[in-house]
Amino acid sequence: MTNEGQASGGESPRSVEDEVDVVAEDTKKTAKGGKDKKKGSFWKELPVLVVVALLLALVIKTFIVQAFYIPSESMENTLLKNDRVLVNKLVYHVRDIERGDVVVFSGVDSWDGEVQIEEPSNPFAAFFHWVGTAFGVVPGEKDYIKRVIGVPGDVVKCCDKQGRVTVNGVALDERQYLYPHDQPAMDDFEIKVPPGRLWVMGDHRGVSLDSRAHQGDPGGGTIPIDQVIGRAFVIVWPFSRATTLPIPDTFSQPALNAAAAVGGATPLLAGFAGAVPLVLWRRRRRARR
């Protein structure tokens, strides 16, 4: 009588320990192969992820919000050199630009830059410059940031007897944002802001090349509203200076809008005043006939 091992050709049976070792070895190989496959898959997908991230950044930068780098001292102490701010590009699609807003606008083909920036020397450098501009790491070549002082129809003047800038005859208390010991303006000026334009000034009046410095340009120093990129609403870098950029209280004076409304209504009232005597004269003439 033969045993089971002999009946199968004389091969000795495999022990349980041998089978466990084989299974463990196969499991290790499978796990190692899976890790290698995942690692290779990650490196293949990385370029796609980078491209998608750049496309999303482009969409966000173009239509929603963009980071900007502050290259000069013209808005101190509200904004310091090397600060980064976020600019809302949607806000002026739902409301008008208001006095006191801090706006970023393009000065292409108009204002000279307050800070000279070298243009990239080759396409590769230009690409990284564009990426840096999109993320607010480097300054734009022709982007400016100023505070809106006058909107269309406003009469902006400097200065009253106390040396203050006035808008529609109403004095502004600029101590909340004006650079310490700065004068509101070095020279006297008076301008009525044309339709579709803005009068803008830096908070550090002593160094800011703002609307005052461009009074000889078309528009008398004002900038076109359609050149405004958006409203700066928060400082995001450095973290120690992170804060919002609200409209200062002085621009909430009801008299500003009341004076503007009266100024805008003056031509209409004058028209009625001239029309009434004419209508009465015509009625009398008809009555006589």
Side-chain angles (χ1 to χ4, degrees):
M1 186 174 181
T2 60
N3 60 25
E4 188 176 350
Q6 291 172 338
S8 61
E11 295 180 0
S12 61
R14 297 176 63 179
S15 65
V16 175
E17 289 80 1
D18 291 339
E19 291 180 359
V20 171
D21 291 340
V22 170
V23 172
E25 187 176 353
D26 290 341
T27 304
K28 289 180 181 179
K29 288 180 179 180
T30 303
K32 184 177 180 181
K35 288 181 180 179
D36 291 341
K37 186 176 181 180
K38 287 182 180 179
K39 188 175 181 181
S41 176
F42 171 77
W43 288 110
K44 289 179 182 179
E45 293 175 357
L46 182 60
V48 177
L49 292 174
V50 171
V51 171
V52 171
L54 288 175
L55 289 175
L56 288 175
L58 177 61
V59 171
I60 293 171
K61 167 187 178 294
T62 304
F63 300 106
I64 304 175
V65 67
Q66 182 176 355
F68 278 88
Y69 174 98
I70 306 303
S72 72
E73 299 87 1
S74 68
M75 282 295 291
E76 291 179 338
N77 280 331
T78 304
L79 301 173
L80 303 182
K81 186 176 180 180
N82 299 324
D83 280 355
R84 274 74 163 178
V85 298
L86 291 184
V87 172
N88 186 336
K89 293 187 169 185
L90 295 177
V91 62
Y92 296 135
H93 292 286
V94 296
R95 74 163 175 87
D96 292 332
I97 298 173
E98 298 180 5
R99 305 179 193 94
D101 279 348
V102 176
V103 297
V104 172
F105 61 95
S106 172
V108 174
D109 299 326
S110 57
W111 291 12
D112 292 330
E114 292 177 319
V115 177
Q116 299 301 320
I117 302 169
E118 283 189 34
E119 294 184 4
S121 56
N122 58 69
F124 187 74
F127 170 76
F128 281 99
H129 181 83
W130 173 86
V131 173
T133 302
F135 288 97
V137 179
V138 296
E141 297 175 11
K142 283 284 188 175
D143 295 330
Y144 300 81
I145 186 164
K146 305 292 179 191
R147 189 179 299 279
V148 176
I149 303 298
V151 296
D154 283 348
V155 176
V156 185
K157 183 178 179 180
C158 189
C159 293
D160 67 2
K161 292 181 180 179
Q162 284 74 43
R164 300 170 298 183
V165 171
T166 64
V167 178
N168 302 323
V170 180
L172 300 179
D173 183 358
E174 301 189 280
R175 290 173 294 179
Q176 184 177 348
Y177 56 87
L178 200 64
Y179 186 78
H181 309 300
D182 250 8
Q183 297 297 321
M186 304 333 134
D187 301 306
D188 292 343
F189 63 83
E190 181 175 357
I191 186 170
K192 183 171 184 178
V193 183
R197 302 184 76 90
L198 305 167
W199 180 270
V200 296
M201 300 174 75
D203 290 354
H204 192 172
R205 302 285 163 78
V207 301
S208 178
L209 299 178
D210 48 41
S211 288
R212 298 167 300 155
H214 296 273
Q215 294 182 70
D217 297 348
T222 59
I223 64 164
I225 287 179
D226 59 13
Q227 291 289 85
V228 173
I229 296 169
R231 177 178 182 264
F233 66 98
V234 64
I235 302 172
V236 293
W237 183 265
F239 292 135
S240 59
R241 284 181 39 75
T243 186
T244 57
L245 299 171
I247 296 177
D249 296 337
T250 189
F251 293 100
S252 300
Q253 299 179 79
L256 283 172
N257 292 323
V262 170
T266 299
L268 183 62
L269 293 174
F272 275 113
V276 169
L278 179 61
V279 170
L280 293 175
W281 175 78
R282 290 185 65 183
R283 285 183 177 178
R284 289 178 182 177
R285 187 174 179 183
R286 287 178 181 176
R288 288 175 184 176
R289 289 180 180 179

